[in-house]
Amino acid sequence: MACTISRRSIGMNPLRSARDWAIVAGIIASLFVEVQLLEWWQPSGVWPSVLIGGLIGMSPSLFSSLPVRGTVKATGSIAFLGRVDQAGFVLAGEGPEGRIYKSKGPRWLSWDSNRIVIGAIDGDEIPVTVPLHFYISLKRRQL
């Protein structure tokens, strides 16, 4: 059976936790240190390019973790859980929002917002929150 997800909204904040904000701040701070070292070693005025390049380079991983809220039909829940497993997510626990699935990889390789939350069945639909990259891959597989 095909797994379909109906999108309701896309969140605008990919940084879910203080840890995510600290990682971004650390990346920006390391860019500043890199710029200072470059300017000390060979003054050339390239610091705006380095900072802009670093921020542009970091943005795809942030945007791919934007939370997409939607619903899955209860009849397609088994197929949806199969896609969650295929994408490399494992059950990390239960929260007030529902069951939380996180990436199998090491924690330092993913944002805290890169998680899937599956709520309780509401009628014939199940509320879900998935990262944008997972939503896009589901939509591609439906075609």
mmCIF file of all heavy atoms in Angstrom, residues 3 5 68-74 76-85 89-102 115-122 125-131 134 138:
data_model
loop_
_atom_site.group_PDB
_atom_site.id
_atom_site.type_symbol
_atom_site.label_atom_id
_atom_site.label_comp_id
_atom_site.label_asym_id
_atom_site.label_seq_id
_atom_site.Cartn_x
_atom_site.Cartn_y
_atom_site.Cartn_z
ATOM 1 N N CYS A 3 2.235 4.849 0.836
ATOM 2 C CA CYS A 3 2.269 5.673 2.042
ATOM 3 C C CYS A 3 2.136 7.131 1.632
ATOM 4 O O CYS A 3 2.979 7.646 0.914
ATOM 5 C CB CYS A 3 3.589 5.437 2.765
ATOM 6 S SG CYS A 3 3.830 6.544 4.136
ATOM 7 N N ILE A 5 1.411 11.189 2.878
ATOM 8 C CA ILE A 5 1.383 12.132 3.990
ATOM 9 C C ILE A 5 0.786 13.430 3.467
ATOM 10 O O ILE A 5 1.156 13.909 2.410
ATOM 11 C CB ILE A 5 2.792 12.363 4.596
ATOM 12 C CG1 ILE A 5 2.720 13.317 5.777
ATOM 13 C CG2 ILE A 5 3.774 12.831 3.575
ATOM 14 C CD1 ILE A 5 4.014 13.404 6.574
ATOM 15 N N VAL A 68 8.003 19.471 9.183
ATOM 16 C CA VAL A 68 6.786 19.447 8.382
ATOM 17 C C VAL A 68 5.716 18.724 9.198
ATOM 18 O O VAL A 68 5.910 17.582 9.600
ATOM 19 C CB VAL A 68 7.002 18.721 7.035
ATOM 20 C CG1 VAL A 68 5.711 18.640 6.250
ATOM 21 C CG2 VAL A 68 8.084 19.398 6.227
ATOM 22 N N ARG A 69 4.621 19.412 9.462
ATOM 23 C CA ARG A 69 3.522 18.814 10.214
ATOM 24 C C ARG A 69 2.445 18.376 9.231
ATOM 25 O O ARG A 69 2.091 19.115 8.318
ATOM 26 C CB ARG A 69 2.954 19.830 11.196
ATOM 27 C CG ARG A 69 3.902 20.138 12.320
ATOM 28 C CD ARG A 69 3.403 21.285 13.194
ATOM 29 N NE ARG A 69 4.496 21.855 13.974
ATOM 30 C CZ ARG A 69 5.368 22.736 13.511
ATOM 31 N NH1 ARG A 69 5.280 23.182 12.288
ATOM 32 N NH2 ARG A 69 6.337 23.194 14.278
ATOM 33 N N GLY A 70 1.938 17.179 9.442
ATOM 34 C CA GLY A 70 0.915 16.664 8.556
ATOM 35 C C GLY A 70 0.222 15.466 9.164
ATOM 36 O O GLY A 70 0.331 15.210 10.368
ATOM 37 N N THR A 71 -0.479 14.734 8.328
ATOM 38 C CA THR A 71 -1.191 13.548 8.791
ATOM 39 C C THR A 71 -0.940 12.393 7.830
ATOM 40 O O THR A 71 -0.659 12.586 6.655
ATOM 41 C CB THR A 71 -2.714 13.808 8.866
ATOM 42 O OG1 THR A 71 -3.179 14.192 7.584
ATOM 43 C CG2 THR A 71 -3.041 14.869 9.889
ATOM 44 N N VAL A 72 -1.054 11.196 8.377
ATOM 45 C CA VAL A 72 -0.967 9.959 7.608
ATOM 46 C C VAL A 72 -2.263 9.208 7.866
ATOM 47 O O VAL A 72 -2.737 9.159 9.000
ATOM 48 C CB VAL A 72 0.247 9.114 8.061
ATOM 49 C CG1 VAL A 72 0.258 7.759 7.400
ATOM 50 C CG2 VAL A 72 1.539 9.846 7.801
ATOM 51 N N LYS A 73 -2.843 8.630 6.838
ATOM 52 C CA LYS A 73 -4.055 7.825 7.026
ATOM 53 C C LYS A 73 -3.716 6.609 7.879
ATOM 54 O O LYS A 73 -2.648 6.010 7.748
ATOM 55 C CB LYS A 73 -4.619 7.396 5.684
ATOM 56 C CG LYS A 73 -5.066 8.559 4.836
ATOM 57 C CD LYS A 73 -6.436 8.288 4.310
ATOM 58 C CE LYS A 73 -6.916 9.433 3.464
ATOM 59 N NZ LYS A 73 -7.626 10.430 4.196
ATOM 60 N N ALA A 74 -4.617 6.259 8.780
ATOM 61 C CA ALA A 74 -4.383 5.137 9.688
ATOM 62 C C ALA A 74 -4.150 3.842 8.916
ATOM 63 O O ALA A 74 -3.372 2.992 9.359
ATOM 64 C CB ALA A 74 -5.547 4.995 10.657
ATOM 65 N N GLY A 76 -2.486 3.516 6.266
ATOM 66 C CA GLY A 76 -1.130 3.511 5.721
ATOM 67 C C GLY A 76 -0.058 3.612 6.781
ATOM 68 O O GLY A 76 1.107 3.860 6.467
ATOM 69 N N SER A 77 -0.424 3.390 8.034
ATOM 70 C CA SER A 77 0.547 3.578 9.116
ATOM 71 C C SER A 77 1.683 2.564 9.073
ATOM 72 O O SER A 77 2.826 2.896 9.373
ATOM 73 C CB SER A 77 -0.149 3.532 10.473
ATOM 74 O OG SER A 77 -0.725 2.257 10.684
ATOM 75 N N ILE A 78 1.388 1.329 8.677
ATOM 76 C CA ILE A 78 2.444 0.309 8.625
ATOM 77 C C ILE A 78 3.444 0.654 7.525
ATOM 78 O O ILE A 78 4.657 0.540 7.717
ATOM 79 C CB ILE A 78 1.840 -1.092 8.431
ATOM 80 C CG1 ILE A 78 1.034 -1.458 9.679
ATOM 81 C CG2 ILE A 78 2.910 -2.127 8.145
ATOM 82 C CD1 ILE A 78 0.274 -2.742 9.597
ATOM 83 N N ALA A 79 2.942 1.107 6.387
ATOM 84 C CA ALA A 79 3.837 1.517 5.299
ATOM 85 C C ALA A 79 4.668 2.729 5.722
ATOM 86 O O ALA A 79 5.864 2.813 5.406
ATOM 87 C CB ALA A 79 3.026 1.848 4.051
ATOM 88 N N PHE A 80 4.053 3.650 6.446
ATOM 89 C CA PHE A 80 4.783 4.830 6.920
ATOM 90 C C PHE A 80 5.895 4.429 7.884
ATOM 91 O O PHE A 80 7.019 4.915 7.776
ATOM 92 C CB PHE A 80 3.817 5.814 7.591
ATOM 93 C CG PHE A 80 4.479 7.060 8.093
ATOM 94 C CD1 PHE A 80 4.865 8.057 7.209
ATOM 95 C CD2 PHE A 80 4.740 7.240 9.445
ATOM 96 C CE1 PHE A 80 5.490 9.214 7.659
ATOM 97 C CE2 PHE A 80 5.353 8.386 9.903
ATOM 98 C CZ PHE A 80 5.731 9.374 9.008
ATOM 99 N N LEU A 81 5.598 3.532 8.816
ATOM 100 C CA LEU A 81 6.629 3.064 9.751
ATOM 101 C C LEU A 81 7.752 2.337 9.021
ATOM 102 O O LEU A 81 8.914 2.417 9.415
ATOM 103 C CB LEU A 81 6.009 2.167 10.825
ATOM 104 C CG LEU A 81 5.182 2.882 11.879
ATOM 105 C CD1 LEU A 81 4.490 1.880 12.797
ATOM 106 C CD2 LEU A 81 6.042 3.844 12.686
ATOM 107 N N GLY A 82 7.414 1.631 7.946
ATOM 108 C CA GLY A 82 8.445 0.988 7.128
ATOM 109 C C GLY A 82 9.366 2.019 6.482
ATOM 110 O O GLY A 82 10.585 1.837 6.442
ATOM 111 N N ARG A 83 8.791 3.118 6.000
ATOM 112 C CA ARG A 83 9.597 4.204 5.410
ATOM 113 C C ARG A 83 10.467 4.868 6.479
ATOM 114 O O ARG A 83 11.607 5.247 6.205
ATOM 115 C CB ARG A 83 8.711 5.253 4.754
ATOM 116 C CG ARG A 83 7.940 4.750 3.582
ATOM 117 C CD ARG A 83 8.856 4.539 2.408
ATOM 118 N NE ARG A 83 8.055 4.241 1.226
ATOM 119 C CZ ARG A 83 8.475 3.546 0.218
ATOM 120 N NH1 ARG A 83 9.704 3.061 0.224
ATOM 121 N NH2 ARG A 83 7.700 3.315 -0.816
ATOM 122 N N VAL A 84 9.931 5.009 7.674
ATOM 123 C CA VAL A 84 10.715 5.584 8.776
ATOM 124 C C VAL A 84 11.926 4.709 9.059
ATOM 125 O O VAL A 84 13.051 5.195 9.207
ATOM 126 C CB VAL A 84 9.833 5.756 10.042
ATOM 127 C CG1 VAL A 84 10.665 6.073 11.264
ATOM 128 C CG2 VAL A 84 8.772 6.827 9.819
ATOM 129 N N ASP A 85 11.707 3.405 9.103
ATOM 130 C CA ASP A 85 12.807 2.468 9.346
ATOM 131 C C ASP A 85 13.812 2.486 8.198
ATOM 132 O O ASP A 85 15.024 2.493 8.421
ATOM 133 C CB ASP A 85 12.244 1.061 9.546
ATOM 134 C CG ASP A 85 13.321 0.073 9.948
ATOM 135 O OD1 ASP A 85 14.075 0.376 10.893
ATOM 136 O OD2 ASP A 85 13.413 -0.993 9.305
ATOM 137 N N PHE A 89 15.728 5.806 10.901
ATOM 138 C CA PHE A 89 15.258 6.343 12.175
ATOM 139 C C PHE A 89 14.866 5.191 13.082
ATOM 140 O O PHE A 89 14.315 4.186 12.639
ATOM 141 C CB PHE A 89 14.046 7.259 11.961
ATOM 142 C CG PHE A 89 14.384 8.578 11.324
ATOM 143 C CD1 PHE A 89 14.434 8.704 9.952
ATOM 144 C CD2 PHE A 89 14.658 9.694 12.103
ATOM 145 C CE1 PHE A 89 14.747 9.914 9.356
ATOM 146 C CE2 PHE A 89 14.972 10.908 11.516
ATOM 147 C CZ PHE A 89 15.007 11.013 10.141
ATOM 148 N N VAL A 90 15.164 5.338 14.380
ATOM 149 C CA VAL A 90 14.808 4.328 15.369
ATOM 150 C C VAL A 90 14.019 4.995 16.492
ATOM 151 O O VAL A 90 14.173 6.194 16.754
ATOM 152 C CB VAL A 90 16.049 3.622 15.959
ATOM 153 C CG1 VAL A 90 16.747 2.783 14.920
ATOM 154 C CG2 VAL A 90 17.013 4.610 16.574
ATOM 155 N N LEU A 91 13.201 4.207 17.162
ATOM 156 C CA LEU A 91 12.397 4.722 18.262
ATOM 157 C C LEU A 91 13.306 5.180 19.389
ATOM 158 O O LEU A 91 14.138 4.421 19.880
ATOM 159 C CB LEU A 91 11.427 3.648 18.752
ATOM 160 C CG LEU A 91 10.462 4.053 19.857
ATOM 161 C CD1 LEU A 91 9.531 5.164 19.381
ATOM 162 C CD2 LEU A 91 9.645 2.852 20.312
ATOM 163 N N ALA A 92 13.159 6.442 19.778
ATOM 164 C CA ALA A 92 13.995 7.004 20.842
ATOM 165 C C ALA A 92 13.228 7.171 22.143
ATOM 166 O O ALA A 92 13.823 7.437 23.177
ATOM 167 C CB ALA A 92 14.558 8.354 20.406
ATOM 168 N N GLY A 93 11.917 7.039 22.089
ATOM 169 C CA GLY A 93 11.129 7.169 23.304
ATOM 170 C C GLY A 93 9.769 7.784 23.027
ATOM 171 O O GLY A 93 9.388 8.016 21.880
ATOM 172 N N GLU A 94 9.061 8.031 24.103
ATOM 173 C CA GLU A 94 7.735 8.637 24.027
ATOM 174 C C GLU A 94 7.799 10.009 24.672
ATOM 175 O O GLU A 94 8.501 10.214 25.657
ATOM 176 C CB GLU A 94 6.707 7.784 24.768
ATOM 177 C CG GLU A 94 6.536 6.397 24.208
ATOM 178 C CD GLU A 94 5.272 6.248 23.401
ATOM 179 O OE1 GLU A 94 4.418 7.153 23.449
ATOM 180 O OE2 GLU A 94 5.149 5.232 22.714
ATOM 181 N N GLY A 95 7.058 10.926 24.107
ATOM 182 C CA GLY A 95 6.969 12.270 24.660
ATOM 183 C C GLY A 95 5.520 12.694 24.706
ATOM 184 O O GLY A 95 4.628 11.925 24.322
ATOM 185 N N PRO A 96 5.254 13.901 25.148
ATOM 186 C CA PRO A 96 3.865 14.366 25.190
ATOM 187 C C PRO A 96 3.237 14.465 23.797
ATOM 188 O O PRO A 96 2.025 14.357 23.650
ATOM 189 C CB PRO A 96 3.955 15.746 25.841
ATOM 190 C CG PRO A 96 5.384 16.119 25.858
ATOM 191 C CD PRO A 96 6.189 14.881 25.662
ATOM 192 N N GLU A 97 4.088 14.627 22.772
ATOM 193 C CA GLU A 97 3.569 14.732 21.405
ATOM 194 C C GLU A 97 3.299 13.365 20.788
ATOM 195 O O GLU A 97 2.557 13.257 19.835
ATOM 196 C CB GLU A 97 4.571 15.476 20.511
ATOM 197 C CG GLU A 97 5.016 16.798 21.068
ATOM 198 C CD GLU A 97 6.537 16.871 21.164
ATOM 199 O OE1 GLU A 97 7.191 15.824 21.313
ATOM 200 O OE2 GLU A 97 7.050 17.977 21.082
ATOM 201 N N GLY A 98 3.947 12.327 21.290
ATOM 202 C CA GLY A 98 3.793 10.980 20.746
ATOM 203 C C GLY A 98 5.122 10.247 20.729
ATOM 204 O O GLY A 98 6.058 10.589 21.454
ATOM 205 N N ARG A 99 5.211 9.224 19.857
ATOM 206 C CA ARG A 99 6.451 8.452 19.736
ATOM 207 C C ARG A 99 7.476 9.261 18.948
ATOM 208 O O ARG A 99 7.165 9.833 17.908
ATOM 209 C CB ARG A 99 6.191 7.125 19.036
ATOM 210 C CG ARG A 99 5.412 6.152 19.901
ATOM 211 C CD ARG A 99 5.126 4.893 19.175
ATOM 212 N NE ARG A 99 4.168 5.239 18.107
ATOM 213 C CZ ARG A 99 3.812 4.428 17.138
ATOM 214 N NH1 ARG A 99 4.321 3.236 17.056
ATOM 215 N NH2 ARG A 99 2.948 4.810 16.227
ATOM 216 N N ILE A 100 8.711 9.274 19.450
ATOM 217 C CA ILE A 100 9.773 10.060 18.832
ATOM 218 C C ILE A 100 10.807 9.117 18.228
ATOM 219 O O ILE A 100 11.318 8.229 18.909
ATOM 220 C CB ILE A 100 10.433 10.994 19.866
ATOM 221 C CG1 ILE A 100 9.396 11.950 20.435
ATOM 222 C CG2 ILE A 100 11.602 11.749 19.247
ATOM 223 C CD1 ILE A 100 9.867 12.741 21.632
ATOM 224 N N TYR A 101 11.104 9.339 16.951
ATOM 225 C CA TYR A 101 12.113 8.565 16.232
ATOM 226 C C TYR A 101 13.273 9.491 15.888
ATOM 227 O O TYR A 101 13.058 10.596 15.398
ATOM 228 C CB TYR A 101 11.529 7.971 14.947
ATOM 229 C CG TYR A 101 10.501 6.897 15.189
ATOM 230 C CD1 TYR A 101 9.187 7.226 15.499
ATOM 231 C CD2 TYR A 101 10.841 5.558 15.116
ATOM 232 C CE1 TYR A 101 8.241 6.236 15.726
ATOM 233 C CE2 TYR A 101 9.904 4.561 15.343
ATOM 234 C CZ TYR A 101 8.607 4.915 15.649
ATOM 235 O OH TYR A 101 7.678 3.944 15.878
ATOM 236 N N LYS A 102 14.495 9.018 16.160
ATOM 237 C CA LYS A 102 15.693 9.793 15.838
ATOM 238 C C LYS A 102 16.597 8.973 14.932
ATOM 239 O O LYS A 102 16.473 7.765 14.841
ATOM 240 C CB LYS A 102 16.433 10.194 17.113
ATOM 241 C CG LYS A 102 15.646 11.173 17.950
ATOM 242 C CD LYS A 102 16.474 11.775 19.039
ATOM 243 C CE LYS A 102 15.650 12.832 19.740
ATOM 244 N NZ LYS A 102 16.398 13.542 20.720
ATOM 245 N N ARG A 115 14.075 14.810 13.605
ATOM 246 C CA ARG A 115 13.384 13.706 14.273
ATOM 247 C C ARG A 115 11.990 13.563 13.690
ATOM 248 O O ARG A 115 11.460 14.475 13.055
ATOM 249 C CB ARG A 115 13.306 13.946 15.770
ATOM 250 C CG ARG A 115 12.436 15.119 16.120
ATOM 251 C CD ARG A 115 12.488 15.455 17.588
ATOM 252 N NE ARG A 115 11.380 16.336 17.928
ATOM 253 C CZ ARG A 115 10.763 16.333 19.069
ATOM 254 N NH1 ARG A 115 11.146 15.505 20.014
ATOM 255 N NH2 ARG A 115 9.755 17.144 19.302
ATOM 256 N N ILE A 116 11.405 12.410 13.925
ATOM 257 C CA ILE A 116 10.046 12.136 13.473
ATOM 258 C C ILE A 116 9.198 11.909 14.711
ATOM 259 O O ILE A 116 9.578 11.139 15.595
ATOM 260 C CB ILE A 116 10.009 10.909 12.544
ATOM 261 C CG1 ILE A 116 10.796 11.204 11.265
ATOM 262 C CG2 ILE A 116 8.574 10.506 12.225
ATOM 263 C CD1 ILE A 116 10.936 10.021 10.341
ATOM 264 N N VAL A 117 8.068 12.588 14.777
ATOM 265 C CA VAL A 117 7.141 12.422 15.895
ATOM 266 C C VAL A 117 5.829 11.897 15.331
ATOM 267 O O VAL A 117 5.258 12.479 14.412
ATOM 268 C CB VAL A 117 6.898 13.756 16.638
ATOM 269 C CG1 VAL A 117 5.924 13.558 17.783
ATOM 270 C CG2 VAL A 117 8.212 14.328 17.147
ATOM 271 N N ILE A 118 5.372 10.784 15.884
ATOM 272 C CA ILE A 118 4.111 10.178 15.457
ATOM 273 C C ILE A 118 3.140 10.246 16.629
ATOM 274 O O ILE A 118 3.385 9.661 17.680
ATOM 275 C CB ILE A 118 4.316 8.721 15.004
ATOM 276 C CG1 ILE A 118 5.328 8.670 13.858
ATOM 277 C CG2 ILE A 118 2.994 8.097 14.593
ATOM 278 C CD1 ILE A 118 5.705 7.277 13.427
ATOM 279 N N GLY A 119 2.051 10.984 16.438
ATOM 280 C CA GLY A 119 1.058 11.170 17.494
ATOM 281 C C GLY A 119 0.079 10.008 17.573
ATOM 282 O O GLY A 119 0.175 9.011 16.856
ATOM 283 N N ALA A 120 -0.911 10.176 18.445
ATOM 284 C CA ALA A 120 -1.949 9.158 18.624
ATOM 285 C C ALA A 120 -2.972 9.260 17.496
ATOM 286 O O ALA A 120 -3.189 10.324 16.923
ATOM 287 C CB ALA A 120 -2.635 9.354 19.970
ATOM 288 N N ILE A 121 -3.606 8.137 17.188
ATOM 289 C CA ILE A 121 -4.607 8.101 16.117
ATOM 290 C C ILE A 121 -5.765 9.020 16.481
ATOM 291 O O ILE A 121 -6.298 8.967 17.588
ATOM 292 C CB ILE A 121 -5.107 6.662 15.886
ATOM 293 C CG1 ILE A 121 -3.971 5.792 15.387
ATOM 294 C CG2 ILE A 121 -6.275 6.642 14.914
ATOM 295 C CD1 ILE A 121 -4.334 4.343 15.207
ATOM 296 N N ASP A 122 -6.122 9.875 15.515
ATOM 297 C CA ASP A 122 -7.231 10.806 15.680
ATOM 298 C C ASP A 122 -8.233 10.531 14.564
ATOM 299 O O ASP A 122 -8.090 11.048 13.452
ATOM 300 C CB ASP A 122 -6.713 12.249 15.625
ATOM 301 C CG ASP A 122 -7.803 13.273 15.855
ATOM 302 O OD1 ASP A 122 -8.819 12.908 16.478
ATOM 303 O OD2 ASP A 122 -7.633 14.421 15.411
ATOM 304 N N GLU A 125 -6.907 9.357 10.944
ATOM 305 C CA GLU A 125 -5.625 9.980 10.614
ATOM 306 C C GLU A 125 -4.694 9.969 11.818
ATOM 307 O O GLU A 125 -5.130 9.969 12.966
ATOM 308 C CB GLU A 125 -5.836 11.424 10.158
ATOM 309 C CG GLU A 125 -6.587 11.540 8.849
ATOM 310 C CD GLU A 125 -6.716 12.977 8.400
ATOM 311 O OE1 GLU A 125 -6.718 13.874 9.271
ATOM 312 O OE2 GLU A 125 -6.806 13.207 7.187
ATOM 313 N N ILE A 126 -3.411 9.974 11.515
ATOM 314 C CA ILE A 126 -2.376 10.015 12.551
ATOM 315 C C ILE A 126 -1.562 11.286 12.329
ATOM 316 O O ILE A 126 -0.991 11.473 11.256
ATOM 317 C CB ILE A 126 -1.451 8.781 12.459
ATOM 318 C CG1 ILE A 126 -2.256 7.503 12.588
ATOM 319 C CG2 ILE A 126 -0.361 8.859 13.517
ATOM 320 C CD1 ILE A 126 -1.468 6.249 12.274
ATOM 321 N N PRO A 127 -1.484 12.177 13.339
ATOM 322 C CA PRO A 127 -0.658 13.380 13.167
ATOM 323 C C PRO A 127 0.824 13.022 13.239
ATOM 324 O O PRO A 127 1.249 12.245 14.096
ATOM 325 C CB PRO A 127 -1.070 14.268 14.343
ATOM 326 C CG PRO A 127 -1.640 13.344 15.361
ATOM 327 C CD PRO A 127 -2.187 12.155 14.608
ATOM 328 N N VAL A 128 1.602 13.564 12.310
ATOM 329 C CA VAL A 128 3.041 13.307 12.275
ATOM 330 C C VAL A 128 3.784 14.625 12.071
ATOM 331 O O VAL A 128 3.261 15.563 11.479
ATOM 332 C CB VAL A 128 3.435 12.301 11.162
ATOM 333 C CG1 VAL A 128 2.823 10.947 11.411
ATOM 334 C CG2 VAL A 128 3.055 12.815 9.802
ATOM 335 N N THR A 129 5.010 14.659 12.566
ATOM 336 C CA THR A 129 5.939 15.755 12.300
ATOM 337 C C THR A 129 7.219 15.104 11.810
ATOM 338 O O THR A 129 7.796 14.255 12.496
ATOM 339 C CB THR A 129 6.215 16.585 13.566
ATOM 340 O OG1 THR A 129 4.979 17.084 14.071
ATOM 341 C CG2 THR A 129 7.146 17.743 13.269
ATOM 342 N N VAL A 130 7.641 15.491 10.601
ATOM 343 C CA VAL A 130 8.813 14.883 9.983
ATOM 344 C C VAL A 130 9.749 15.983 9.487
ATOM 345 O O VAL A 130 9.302 17.095 9.210
ATOM 346 C CB VAL A 130 8.419 13.956 8.812
ATOM 347 C CG1 VAL A 130 7.535 12.824 9.289
ATOM 348 C CG2 VAL A 130 7.735 14.723 7.701
ATOM 349 N N PRO A 131 11.053 15.694 9.348
ATOM 350 C CA PRO A 131 11.958 16.673 8.744
ATOM 351 C C PRO A 131 11.637 16.858 7.261
ATOM 352 O O PRO A 131 11.130 15.942 6.606
ATOM 353 C CB PRO A 131 13.347 16.065 8.922
ATOM 354 C CG PRO A 131 13.182 14.893 9.812
ATOM 355 C CD PRO A 131 11.758 14.514 9.808
ATOM 356 N N PHE A 134 12.846 14.204 4.779
ATOM 357 C CA PHE A 134 12.079 12.964 4.810
ATOM 358 C C PHE A 134 10.759 13.128 4.053
ATOM 359 O O PHE A 134 10.353 12.252 3.290
ATOM 360 C CB PHE A 134 11.819 12.545 6.263
ATOM 361 C CG PHE A 134 11.085 11.242 6.396
ATOM 362 C CD1 PHE A 134 11.741 10.039 6.191
ATOM 363 C CD2 PHE A 134 9.740 11.213 6.728
ATOM 364 C CE1 PHE A 134 11.064 8.842 6.313
ATOM 365 C CE2 PHE A 134 9.063 10.015 6.850
ATOM 366 C CZ PHE A 134 9.730 8.825 6.644
ATOM 367 N N LEU A 138 9.522 11.037 0.748
ATOM 368 C CA LEU A 138 8.244 10.331 0.677
ATOM 369 C C LEU A 138 7.456 10.744 -0.556
ATOM 370 O O LEU A 138 6.872 9.924 -1.255
ATOM 371 C CB LEU A 138 7.406 10.619 1.924
ATOM 372 C CG LEU A 138 7.644 9.779 3.156
ATOM 373 C CD1 LEU A 138 6.717 10.209 4.275
ATOM 374 C CD2 LEU A 138 7.481 8.311 2.883
#
